[in-house]
Amino acid sequence: MKKKFQWVYILSVAFLIIWSLGPIAWSIVMSVTTQKEMFSSTTILPQEPTLTNYQKLLKQDSKPGSAFLRGMRNSLSTSILTIAFVLPIAVLSAYAFSRIKFKGREVIRIGLLITFVVPALATIITLYQMFGLWGLLDKKIGLIIIYASSFFPLSVWMLSNHFCTLPRELEEAAWLDGCTRIQGLFKVVLPLSYPVLFAAALTIFLNTWNQFMIPLIMAPVPETKPLTVVITEFVTKHSTEYGMITAGGLLALIPPAFIAIIFRKYIAGGLVAGSVKG
Amino acid sequence: MFKQKPGSRKDTVLPYLLILPMVLIIVGLVYYPVGRTIMTSFEAKDFTKPLQTGFVFLDNYKALLTDSTIWHSVTNTLYVLVLILVGTITLGIFTSLVLFKDSPIKGFVLAITILPWALPPIVNGLLWRGVFHPQFGIINKLLLELNIVETGIQWLSKPFLVLTIASLVVMWRTVPLASMVFLSALTAIPSDIYESAQMDGCNSVSAFRYITLPMLRPSIAIVLTLTSFVGVNLFDEIVSLTGFSGQTRTLLVEAYIRLFSFLNFGQGSAFVALIMLASAVPTYFYIRYLNAQVEYS
């Protein structure tokens, strides 16, 4: 009986590994296969693996390379700037929602959380026209404030749930020592919230990194275009060069994959604490 | 500087100051645009016919509801939705049971099951396209190698197959979240329930049926709700598997085409308004879930 159970477990784990890593593993194989071999070979693994696709993509002075590296830099900088913009504002709101009673609190809170269900296309037409007037099209700041508007529900939700669990007495003691509310927030509440702040920052990073439709419409120029948009352009430009497409795709996975694996504990906690935007 | 004492009269202003930046952004970038979209849906606004403008009330909606390509995108989305709901729940519960078991490789299994959730959906579509590629995809290579088929299957040429594969790709990123939600619910079930059930002669299958499954019911509701939003908003995976044109358009792809290729903002807005209306059911459950959480904390 015990032995049988062991086998079921091993087979289940094997299935999960193939399901989760299979497509990535196969993409690695394709990315090191030469164009010639891809069409002619009858074997499953390439006979002469090569790194030329990666070399092309990571070389600044080649045409695909400069576009790719620029996309990588755009994705990185936009993700980091979005964290810097969203997190402080979310902290202030979350603190107000979880610690201070005020008129209209519940209405505003639900009014914020419900925006989670609004599809991006419902806002983007008007945003496109507004940003056109304000000169925010094709600018990173334009993208960042749109992302902020769509990440607030989740970040505020995660943070205020956490603030609710902290004992009020700690803050009250600080107030007696002459702290204002804001000082109490910075000196008492935030130092006890690093794991959640970190989880929120990571989720914002991942969500920004994975954006596609919004930058495609709002900022499809080389100066702002993120990696996701650059890679889809590869598909139309080099539709037969599957090695290049998979190599590019895999390189784009490295930052989010790295975060997911290294910080899995934080993310698993954050995932459950909030309802993650899909 | 603020010199107010907590609990003093200034506290009545402070919360509004704290939420002000967030409220401004949400109202300006979500509520106002959604309102404008709903207004536009009652107007003639087609950039290919710039002379016909003005209020037309329900004309855009009528035109949409009698358009057969719209219904195509509705059935496509419904098909994907059913597949990913069923698949995410079953695979999610399965994964959570595997993760729940104590074993030396637990952390490793957790890391690899979370991984697909973190990846960009648009890139996922490209990688899976490589898996199902008719000439050099691993699936056809294996099928040929094992002599199951004689010529490779054209996985990405039939709309029905593309939508099925798209559902698989979507599940690849929805299952991790589902399994985390189920895992936390499993961890919350007190183990003495199982012990007493075992003493009453309950085997592991009936323990799952009569204890685990009922205890998971609230989490199943959450996962169904969240997965429905993913299904209704499906866009990236379809685009990277087959592009914008083709018979595999889902609701959002169809709306995107109407807006940005046909430049018919009136009809496009009406379509988006209908999509929001369709999201009302999962939204209702989502709000109920949020309110339940409030009482909780």
Side-chain angles (χ1 to χ4, degrees), chain B residues 225-269:
Chain B
T225 310
L226 294 176
T227 314
S228 311
F229 291 129
V230 177
V232 172
N233 290 308
L234 178 57
F235 183 84
D236 294 17
E237 281 94 345
I238 293 289
V239 171
S240 56
L241 279 173
T242 54
F244 291 100
S245 52
Q247 296 169 286
T248 53
R249 288 180 198 166
T250 51
L251 289 174
L252 279 202
V253 180
E254 184 70 46
Y256 179 89
I257 301 273
R258 270 169 204 261
L259 286 167
F260 296 100
S261 296
F262 301 172
L263 293 174
N264 190 339
F265 278 26
Q267 262 193 31
S269 302

mmCIF file of all heavy atoms in Angstrom, chain B residues 225-269:
data_model
loop_
_atom_site.group_PDB
_atom_site.id
_atom_site.type_symbol
_atom_site.label_atom_id
_atom_site.label_comp_id
_atom_site.label_asym_id
_atom_site.label_seq_id
_atom_site.Cartn_x
_atom_site.Cartn_y
_atom_site.Cartn_z
ATOM 1 N N THR B 225 -13.986 32.227 -10.240
ATOM 2 C CA THR B 225 -14.169 33.649 -10.521
ATOM 3 C C THR B 225 -12.947 34.239 -11.216
ATOM 4 O O THR B 225 -13.063 34.850 -12.281
ATOM 5 C CB THR B 225 -14.411 34.410 -9.204
ATOM 6 O OG1 THR B 225 -15.440 33.736 -8.487
ATOM 7 C CG2 THR B 225 -14.819 35.820 -9.452
ATOM 8 N N LEU B 226 -11.776 34.014 -10.632
ATOM 9 C CA LEU B 226 -10.559 34.611 -11.195
ATOM 10 C C LEU B 226 -10.271 34.058 -12.586
ATOM 11 O O LEU B 226 -9.874 34.796 -13.492
ATOM 12 C CB LEU B 226 -9.367 34.345 -10.274
ATOM 13 C CG LEU B 226 -9.441 35.035 -8.919
ATOM 14 C CD1 LEU B 226 -8.270 34.621 -8.050
ATOM 15 C CD2 LEU B 226 -9.451 36.543 -9.108
ATOM 16 N N THR B 227 -10.493 32.744 -12.769
ATOM 17 C CA THR B 227 -10.220 32.146 -14.068
ATOM 18 C C THR B 227 -11.197 32.666 -15.129
ATOM 19 O O THR B 227 -10.829 32.805 -16.296
ATOM 20 C CB THR B 227 -10.274 30.615 -13.972
ATOM 21 O OG1 THR B 227 -9.538 30.198 -12.827
ATOM 22 C CG2 THR B 227 -9.671 29.958 -15.192
ATOM 23 N N SER B 228 -12.453 32.962 -14.717
ATOM 24 C CA SER B 228 -13.402 33.513 -15.690
ATOM 25 C C SER B 228 -12.897 34.835 -16.248
ATOM 26 O O SER B 228 -13.023 35.091 -17.450
ATOM 27 C CB SER B 228 -14.766 33.776 -15.053
ATOM 28 O OG SER B 228 -15.191 32.685 -14.335
ATOM 29 N N PHE B 229 -12.333 35.679 -15.378
ATOM 30 C CA PHE B 229 -11.805 36.954 -15.875
ATOM 31 C C PHE B 229 -10.695 36.717 -16.891
ATOM 32 O O PHE B 229 -10.640 37.379 -17.927
ATOM 33 C CB PHE B 229 -11.268 37.812 -14.725
ATOM 34 C CG PHE B 229 -12.337 38.321 -13.824
ATOM 35 C CD1 PHE B 229 -12.258 38.152 -12.455
ATOM 36 C CD2 PHE B 229 -13.449 38.975 -14.342
ATOM 37 C CE1 PHE B 229 -13.251 38.621 -11.618
ATOM 38 C CE2 PHE B 229 -14.453 39.446 -13.519
ATOM 39 C CZ PHE B 229 -14.354 39.264 -12.142
ATOM 40 N N VAL B 230 -9.817 35.765 -16.593
ATOM 41 C CA VAL B 230 -8.739 35.448 -17.534
ATOM 42 C C VAL B 230 -9.343 35.002 -18.863
ATOM 43 O O VAL B 230 -8.920 35.432 -19.935
ATOM 44 C CB VAL B 230 -7.810 34.355 -16.968
ATOM 45 C CG1 VAL B 230 -6.740 33.989 -17.980
ATOM 46 C CG2 VAL B 230 -7.171 34.810 -15.674
ATOM 47 N N GLY B 231 -10.368 34.143 -18.801
ATOM 48 C CA GLY B 231 -10.982 33.612 -20.021
ATOM 49 C C GLY B 231 -11.645 34.699 -20.846
ATOM 50 O O GLY B 231 -11.436 34.794 -22.058
ATOM 51 N N VAL B 232 -12.427 35.567 -20.183
ATOM 52 C CA VAL B 232 -13.131 36.621 -20.918
ATOM 53 C C VAL B 232 -12.120 37.583 -21.541
ATOM 54 O O VAL B 232 -12.326 38.098 -22.638
ATOM 55 C CB VAL B 232 -14.105 37.379 -19.978
ATOM 56 C CG1 VAL B 232 -14.687 38.602 -20.666
ATOM 57 C CG2 VAL B 232 -15.220 36.459 -19.529
ATOM 58 N N ASN B 233 -11.002 37.814 -20.858
ATOM 59 C CA ASN B 233 -10.011 38.769 -21.344
ATOM 60 C C ASN B 233 -8.899 38.149 -22.175
ATOM 61 O O ASN B 233 -7.866 38.774 -22.403
ATOM 62 C CB ASN B 233 -9.393 39.518 -20.160
ATOM 63 C CG ASN B 233 -10.384 40.463 -19.540
ATOM 64 O OD1 ASN B 233 -10.994 41.273 -20.238
ATOM 65 N ND2 ASN B 233 -10.603 40.331 -18.252
ATOM 66 N N LEU B 234 -9.107 36.924 -22.634
ATOM 67 C CA LEU B 234 -8.066 36.239 -23.394
ATOM 68 C C LEU B 234 -7.672 37.042 -24.639
ATOM 69 O O LEU B 234 -8.520 37.406 -25.443
ATOM 70 C CB LEU B 234 -8.565 34.852 -23.796
ATOM 71 C CG LEU B 234 -7.620 34.021 -24.648
ATOM 72 C CD1 LEU B 234 -6.303 33.842 -23.942
ATOM 73 C CD2 LEU B 234 -8.248 32.683 -24.960
ATOM 74 N N PHE B 235 -6.394 37.328 -24.775
ATOM 75 C CA PHE B 235 -5.921 38.141 -25.902
ATOM 76 C C PHE B 235 -4.528 37.698 -26.330
ATOM 77 O O PHE B 235 -4.326 37.215 -27.447
ATOM 78 C CB PHE B 235 -5.919 39.625 -25.494
ATOM 79 C CG PHE B 235 -5.528 40.571 -26.596
ATOM 80 C CD1 PHE B 235 -6.466 41.016 -27.516
ATOM 81 C CD2 PHE B 235 -4.207 41.020 -26.699
ATOM 82 C CE1 PHE B 235 -6.096 41.882 -28.524
ATOM 83 C CE2 PHE B 235 -3.840 41.893 -27.711
ATOM 84 C CZ PHE B 235 -4.792 42.328 -28.625
ATOM 85 N N ASP B 236 -3.564 37.818 -25.413
ATOM 86 C CA ASP B 236 -2.154 37.594 -25.741
ATOM 87 C C ASP B 236 -1.889 36.226 -26.381
ATOM 88 O O ASP B 236 -1.215 36.133 -27.402
ATOM 89 C CB ASP B 236 -1.288 37.710 -24.480
ATOM 90 C CG ASP B 236 -1.284 39.114 -23.909
ATOM 91 O OD1 ASP B 236 -2.185 39.891 -24.277
ATOM 92 O OD2 ASP B 236 -0.401 39.422 -23.105
ATOM 93 N N GLU B 237 -2.418 35.178 -25.773
ATOM 94 C CA GLU B 237 -2.106 33.839 -26.255
ATOM 95 C C GLU B 237 -2.642 33.609 -27.665
ATOM 96 O O GLU B 237 -1.990 32.961 -28.484
ATOM 97 C CB GLU B 237 -2.676 32.768 -25.315
ATOM 98 C CG GLU B 237 -1.843 32.544 -24.066
ATOM 99 C CD GLU B 237 -2.327 33.366 -22.887
ATOM 100 O OE1 GLU B 237 -3.114 34.302 -23.107
ATOM 101 O OE2 GLU B 237 -1.919 33.072 -21.742
ATOM 102 N N ILE B 238 -3.847 34.133 -27.933
ATOM 103 C CA ILE B 238 -4.426 33.977 -29.268
ATOM 104 C C ILE B 238 -3.561 34.711 -30.283
ATOM 105 O O ILE B 238 -3.221 34.184 -31.350
ATOM 106 C CB ILE B 238 -5.871 34.534 -29.302
ATOM 107 C CG1 ILE B 238 -6.789 33.677 -28.435
ATOM 108 C CG2 ILE B 238 -6.401 34.609 -30.727
ATOM 109 C CD1 ILE B 238 -7.102 32.317 -28.984
ATOM 110 N N VAL B 239 -3.154 35.938 -29.924
ATOM 111 C CA VAL B 239 -2.339 36.733 -30.843
ATOM 112 C C VAL B 239 -1.022 36.010 -31.149
ATOM 113 O O VAL B 239 -0.596 35.927 -32.300
ATOM 114 C CB VAL B 239 -2.060 38.137 -30.268
ATOM 115 C CG1 VAL B 239 -1.048 38.885 -31.107
ATOM 116 C CG2 VAL B 239 -3.354 38.920 -30.181
ATOM 117 N N SER B 240 -0.384 35.448 -30.119
ATOM 118 C CA SER B 240 0.914 34.840 -30.403
ATOM 119 C C SER B 240 0.764 33.444 -31.029
ATOM 120 O O SER B 240 1.685 32.969 -31.668
ATOM 121 C CB SER B 240 1.792 34.789 -29.159
ATOM 122 O OG SER B 240 1.157 34.116 -28.119
ATOM 123 N N LEU B 241 -0.367 32.790 -30.885
ATOM 124 C CA LEU B 241 -0.537 31.491 -31.548
ATOM 125 C C LEU B 241 -0.931 31.650 -33.008
ATOM 126 O O LEU B 241 -0.415 30.951 -33.871
ATOM 127 C CB LEU B 241 -1.593 30.645 -30.825
ATOM 128 C CG LEU B 241 -1.149 29.890 -29.568
ATOM 129 C CD1 LEU B 241 -2.350 29.256 -28.881
ATOM 130 C CD2 LEU B 241 -0.121 28.823 -29.887
ATOM 131 N N THR B 242 -1.875 32.561 -33.314
ATOM 132 C CA THR B 242 -2.337 32.662 -34.700
ATOM 133 C C THR B 242 -2.407 34.071 -35.252
ATOM 134 O O THR B 242 -2.764 34.246 -36.405
ATOM 135 C CB THR B 242 -3.752 32.054 -34.862
ATOM 136 O OG1 THR B 242 -4.600 32.684 -33.904
ATOM 137 C CG2 THR B 242 -3.739 30.576 -34.655
ATOM 138 N N GLY B 243 -2.115 35.074 -34.456
ATOM 139 C CA GLY B 243 -2.207 36.439 -34.969
ATOM 140 C C GLY B 243 -3.622 36.987 -34.844
ATOM 141 O O GLY B 243 -4.502 36.343 -34.276
ATOM 142 N N PHE B 244 -3.816 38.193 -35.373
ATOM 143 C CA PHE B 244 -5.097 38.873 -35.190
ATOM 144 C C PHE B 244 -6.183 38.364 -36.127
ATOM 145 O O PHE B 244 -7.342 38.326 -35.784
ATOM 146 C CB PHE B 244 -4.926 40.380 -35.414
ATOM 147 C CG PHE B 244 -4.133 41.045 -34.349
ATOM 148 C CD1 PHE B 244 -2.797 41.346 -34.550
ATOM 149 C CD2 PHE B 244 -4.716 41.358 -33.142
ATOM 150 C CE1 PHE B 244 -2.062 41.962 -33.563
ATOM 151 C CE2 PHE B 244 -3.989 41.978 -32.148
ATOM 152 C CZ PHE B 244 -2.657 42.280 -32.355
ATOM 153 N N SER B 245 -5.773 38.033 -37.352
ATOM 154 C CA SER B 245 -6.790 37.604 -38.299
ATOM 155 C C SER B 245 -7.016 36.119 -38.099
ATOM 156 O O SER B 245 -6.265 35.463 -37.430
ATOM 157 C CB SER B 245 -6.307 37.867 -39.713
ATOM 158 O OG SER B 245 -5.039 37.292 -39.862
ATOM 159 N N GLY B 246 -8.044 35.618 -38.697
ATOM 160 C CA GLY B 246 -8.310 34.205 -38.536
ATOM 161 C C GLY B 246 -9.602 33.977 -37.794
ATOM 162 O O GLY B 246 -10.204 34.905 -37.264
ATOM 163 N N GLN B 247 -9.997 32.716 -37.770
ATOM 164 C CA GLN B 247 -11.312 32.402 -37.216
ATOM 165 C C GLN B 247 -11.246 32.122 -35.724
ATOM 166 O O GLN B 247 -12.211 31.680 -35.144
ATOM 167 C CB GLN B 247 -11.880 31.184 -37.933
ATOM 168 C CG GLN B 247 -12.126 31.435 -39.398
ATOM 169 C CD GLN B 247 -12.434 30.140 -40.083
ATOM 170 O OE1 GLN B 247 -11.575 29.299 -40.314
ATOM 171 N NE2 GLN B 247 -13.707 29.954 -40.404
ATOM 172 N N THR B 248 -10.069 32.343 -35.138
ATOM 173 C CA THR B 248 -9.925 31.999 -33.735
ATOM 174 C C THR B 248 -10.036 33.228 -32.844
ATOM 175 O O THR B 248 -9.706 33.168 -31.687
ATOM 176 C CB THR B 248 -8.565 31.349 -33.484
ATOM 177 O OG1 THR B 248 -7.569 32.207 -34.018
ATOM 178 C CG2 THR B 248 -8.488 30.004 -34.137
ATOM 179 N N ARG B 249 -10.528 34.326 -33.402
ATOM 180 C CA ARG B 249 -10.648 35.544 -32.609
ATOM 181 C C ARG B 249 -11.529 35.319 -31.387
ATOM 182 O O ARG B 249 -12.620 34.777 -31.489
ATOM 183 C CB ARG B 249 -11.301 36.641 -33.437
ATOM 184 C CG ARG B 249 -10.429 37.192 -34.506
ATOM 185 C CD ARG B 249 -11.218 38.251 -35.223
ATOM 186 N NE ARG B 249 -10.623 38.546 -36.508
ATOM 187 C CZ ARG B 249 -11.254 39.241 -37.443
ATOM 188 N NH1 ARG B 249 -12.482 39.678 -37.227
ATOM 189 N NH2 ARG B 249 -10.662 39.488 -38.584
ATOM 190 N N THR B 250 -11.048 35.799 -30.273
ATOM 191 C CA THR B 250 -11.868 35.785 -29.066
ATOM 192 C C THR B 250 -12.482 37.170 -28.901
ATOM 193 O O THR B 250 -12.223 38.055 -29.719
ATOM 194 C CB THR B 250 -11.013 35.464 -27.842
ATOM 195 O OG1 THR B 250 -9.900 36.342 -27.855
ATOM 196 C CG2 THR B 250 -10.525 34.029 -27.869
ATOM 197 N N LEU B 251 -13.264 37.355 -27.855
ATOM 198 C CA LEU B 251 -13.963 38.633 -27.662
ATOM 199 C C LEU B 251 -13.017 39.827 -27.753
ATOM 200 O O LEU B 251 -13.258 40.770 -28.501
ATOM 201 C CB LEU B 251 -14.659 38.645 -26.293
ATOM 202 C CG LEU B 251 -15.877 37.739 -26.145
ATOM 203 C CD1 LEU B 251 -16.359 37.752 -24.707
ATOM 204 C CD2 LEU B 251 -16.982 38.174 -27.086
ATOM 205 N N LEU B 252 -11.928 39.783 -27.000
ATOM 206 C CA LEU B 252 -11.054 40.952 -26.968
ATOM 207 C C LEU B 252 -10.302 41.154 -28.278
ATOM 208 O O LEU B 252 -10.050 42.281 -28.679
ATOM 209 C CB LEU B 252 -10.062 40.867 -25.804
ATOM 210 C CG LEU B 252 -10.569 41.282 -24.426
ATOM 211 C CD1 LEU B 252 -9.412 41.659 -23.525
ATOM 212 C CD2 LEU B 252 -11.546 42.437 -24.508
ATOM 213 N N VAL B 253 -9.942 40.063 -28.942
ATOM 214 C CA VAL B 253 -9.257 40.204 -30.227
ATOM 215 C C VAL B 253 -10.213 40.845 -31.230
ATOM 216 O O VAL B 253 -9.851 41.773 -31.960
ATOM 217 C CB VAL B 253 -8.747 38.842 -30.742
ATOM 218 C CG1 VAL B 253 -8.045 39.000 -32.082
ATOM 219 C CG2 VAL B 253 -7.812 38.198 -29.732
ATOM 220 N N GLU B 254 -11.463 40.382 -31.232
ATOM 221 C CA GLU B 254 -12.479 40.952 -32.119
ATOM 222 C C GLU B 254 -12.672 42.446 -31.813
ATOM 223 O O GLU B 254 -12.714 43.277 -32.721
ATOM 224 C CB GLU B 254 -13.792 40.189 -31.920
ATOM 225 C CG GLU B 254 -14.922 40.601 -32.837
ATOM 226 C CD GLU B 254 -14.685 40.200 -34.283
ATOM 227 O OE1 GLU B 254 -14.289 39.039 -34.509
ATOM 228 O OE2 GLU B 254 -14.888 41.042 -35.175
ATOM 229 N N ALA B 255 -12.763 42.782 -30.536
ATOM 230 C CA ALA B 255 -12.942 44.188 -30.153
ATOM 231 C C ALA B 255 -11.744 45.018 -30.603
ATOM 232 O O ALA B 255 -11.899 46.122 -31.125
ATOM 233 C CB ALA B 255 -13.130 44.307 -28.645
ATOM 234 N N TYR B 256 -10.542 44.463 -30.418
ATOM 235 C CA TYR B 256 -9.318 45.165 -30.820
ATOM 236 C C TYR B 256 -9.341 45.467 -32.319
ATOM 237 O O TYR B 256 -9.043 46.585 -32.754
ATOM 238 C CB TYR B 256 -8.108 44.302 -30.467
ATOM 239 C CG TYR B 256 -6.782 44.906 -30.866
ATOM 240 C CD1 TYR B 256 -6.089 45.733 -30.004
ATOM 241 C CD2 TYR B 256 -6.232 44.647 -32.120
ATOM 242 C CE1 TYR B 256 -4.883 46.295 -30.365
ATOM 243 C CE2 TYR B 256 -5.032 45.206 -32.503
ATOM 244 C CZ TYR B 256 -4.354 46.029 -31.621
ATOM 245 O OH TYR B 256 -3.162 46.580 -31.991
ATOM 246 N N ILE B 257 -9.726 44.446 -33.125
ATOM 247 C CA ILE B 257 -9.784 44.622 -34.575
ATOM 248 C C ILE B 257 -10.767 45.730 -34.943
ATOM 249 O O ILE B 257 -10.482 46.605 -35.758
ATOM 250 C CB ILE B 257 -10.248 43.311 -35.253
ATOM 251 C CG1 ILE B 257 -9.299 42.176 -34.911
ATOM 252 C CG2 ILE B 257 -10.425 43.487 -36.747
ATOM 253 C CD1 ILE B 257 -8.146 42.065 -35.819
ATOM 254 N N ARG B 258 -11.959 45.667 -34.321
ATOM 255 C CA ARG B 258 -12.978 46.668 -34.653
ATOM 256 C C ARG B 258 -12.511 48.073 -34.321
ATOM 257 O O ARG B 258 -12.798 49.025 -35.026
ATOM 258 C CB ARG B 258 -14.264 46.362 -33.900
ATOM 259 C CG ARG B 258 -15.085 45.456 -34.754
ATOM 260 C CD ARG B 258 -16.246 44.841 -34.117
ATOM 261 N NE ARG B 258 -16.489 43.641 -34.892
ATOM 262 C CZ ARG B 258 -17.407 43.561 -35.837
ATOM 263 N NH1 ARG B 258 -18.194 44.566 -36.096
ATOM 264 N NH2 ARG B 258 -17.535 42.452 -36.543
ATOM 265 N N LEU B 259 -11.777 48.195 -33.200
ATOM 266 C CA LEU B 259 -11.324 49.516 -32.791
ATOM 267 C C LEU B 259 -10.157 49.984 -33.629
ATOM 268 O O LEU B 259 -10.174 51.070 -34.193
ATOM 269 C CB LEU B 259 -10.916 49.490 -31.313
ATOM 270 C CG LEU B 259 -12.062 49.422 -30.315
ATOM 271 C CD1 LEU B 259 -11.523 49.081 -28.941
ATOM 272 C CD2 LEU B 259 -12.792 50.756 -30.293
ATOM 273 N N PHE B 260 -9.112 49.161 -33.705
ATOM 274 C CA PHE B 260 -7.855 49.680 -34.224
ATOM 275 C C PHE B 260 -7.552 49.313 -35.664
ATOM 276 O O PHE B 260 -6.661 49.879 -36.265
ATOM 277 C CB PHE B 260 -6.703 49.277 -33.296
ATOM 278 C CG PHE B 260 -6.840 49.896 -31.945
ATOM 279 C CD1 PHE B 260 -7.344 49.182 -30.875
ATOM 280 C CD2 PHE B 260 -6.511 51.223 -31.753
ATOM 281 C CE1 PHE B 260 -7.497 49.773 -29.636
ATOM 282 C CE2 PHE B 260 -6.666 51.829 -30.518
ATOM 283 C CZ PHE B 260 -7.155 51.102 -29.455
ATOM 284 N N SER B 261 -8.296 48.348 -36.249
ATOM 285 C CA SER B 261 -8.119 48.109 -37.679
ATOM 286 C C SER B 261 -9.248 48.745 -38.458
ATOM 287 O O SER B 261 -9.048 49.449 -39.430
ATOM 288 C CB SER B 261 -8.084 46.620 -37.990
ATOM 289 O OG SER B 261 -6.974 46.030 -37.396
ATOM 290 N N PHE B 262 -10.503 48.507 -38.018
ATOM 291 C CA PHE B 262 -11.650 49.100 -38.723
ATOM 292 C C PHE B 262 -11.866 50.553 -38.308
ATOM 293 O O PHE B 262 -12.577 51.284 -38.971
ATOM 294 C CB PHE B 262 -12.939 48.311 -38.433
ATOM 295 C CG PHE B 262 -12.884 46.867 -38.838
ATOM 296 C CD1 PHE B 262 -13.922 46.005 -38.491
ATOM 297 C CD2 PHE B 262 -11.828 46.350 -39.564
ATOM 298 C CE1 PHE B 262 -13.892 44.660 -38.870
ATOM 299 C CE2 PHE B 262 -11.788 45.012 -39.931
ATOM 300 C CZ PHE B 262 -12.821 44.171 -39.580
ATOM 301 N N LEU B 263 -11.250 50.949 -37.174
ATOM 302 C CA LEU B 263 -11.392 52.304 -36.644
ATOM 303 C C LEU B 263 -12.847 52.709 -36.418
ATOM 304 O O LEU B 263 -13.201 53.877 -36.507
ATOM 305 C CB LEU B 263 -10.689 53.325 -37.555
ATOM 306 C CG LEU B 263 -9.176 53.194 -37.588
ATOM 307 C CD1 LEU B 263 -8.593 54.138 -38.613
ATOM 308 C CD2 LEU B 263 -8.566 53.481 -36.222
ATOM 309 N N ASN B 264 -13.690 51.694 -36.135
ATOM 310 C CA ASN B 264 -15.076 52.010 -35.822
ATOM 311 C C ASN B 264 -15.212 52.085 -34.305
ATOM 312 O O ASN B 264 -15.515 51.098 -33.643
ATOM 313 C CB ASN B 264 -16.003 50.953 -36.414
ATOM 314 C CG ASN B 264 -17.456 51.364 -36.333
ATOM 315 O OD1 ASN B 264 -17.821 52.212 -35.521
ATOM 316 N ND2 ASN B 264 -18.276 50.768 -37.163
ATOM 317 N N PHE B 265 -14.970 53.302 -33.767
ATOM 318 C CA PHE B 265 -14.948 53.452 -32.312
ATOM 319 C C PHE B 265 -16.329 53.270 -31.696
ATOM 320 O O PHE B 265 -16.457 52.789 -30.578
ATOM 321 C CB PHE B 265 -14.357 54.813 -31.925
ATOM 322 C CG PHE B 265 -12.856 54.821 -31.921
ATOM 323 C CD1 PHE B 265 -12.142 53.930 -32.713
ATOM 324 C CD2 PHE B 265 -12.149 55.697 -31.107
ATOM 325 C CE1 PHE B 265 -10.754 53.932 -32.696
ATOM 326 C CE2 PHE B 265 -10.760 55.708 -31.092
ATOM 327 C CZ PHE B 265 -10.065 54.819 -31.891
ATOM 328 N N GLY B 266 -17.377 53.673 -32.427
ATOM 329 C CA GLY B 266 -18.739 53.518 -31.894
ATOM 330 C C GLY B 266 -19.058 52.063 -31.644
ATOM 331 O O GLY B 266 -19.404 51.662 -30.530
ATOM 332 N N GLN B 267 -18.908 51.251 -32.689
ATOM 333 C CA GLN B 267 -19.208 49.824 -32.553
ATOM 334 C C GLN B 267 -18.248 49.130 -31.608
ATOM 335 O O GLN B 267 -18.647 48.281 -30.821
ATOM 336 C CB GLN B 267 -19.140 49.147 -33.924
ATOM 337 C CG GLN B 267 -20.484 48.974 -34.565
ATOM 338 C CD GLN B 267 -20.400 48.025 -35.753
ATOM 339 O OE1 GLN B 267 -19.586 47.098 -35.775
ATOM 340 N NE2 GLN B 267 -21.234 48.264 -36.742
ATOM 341 N N GLY B 268 -16.965 49.498 -31.715
ATOM 342 C CA GLY B 268 -15.969 48.895 -30.829
ATOM 343 C C GLY B 268 -16.311 49.157 -29.369
ATOM 344 O O GLY B 268 -16.254 48.258 -28.537
ATOM 345 N N SER B 269 -16.729 50.404 -29.070
ATOM 346 C CA SER B 269 -17.082 50.740 -27.692
ATOM 347 C C SER B 269 -18.305 49.948 -27.243
ATOM 348 O O SER B 269 -18.371 49.471 -26.104
ATOM 349 C CB SER B 269 -17.378 52.230 -27.569
ATOM 350 O OG SER B 269 -16.263 52.958 -27.992
#
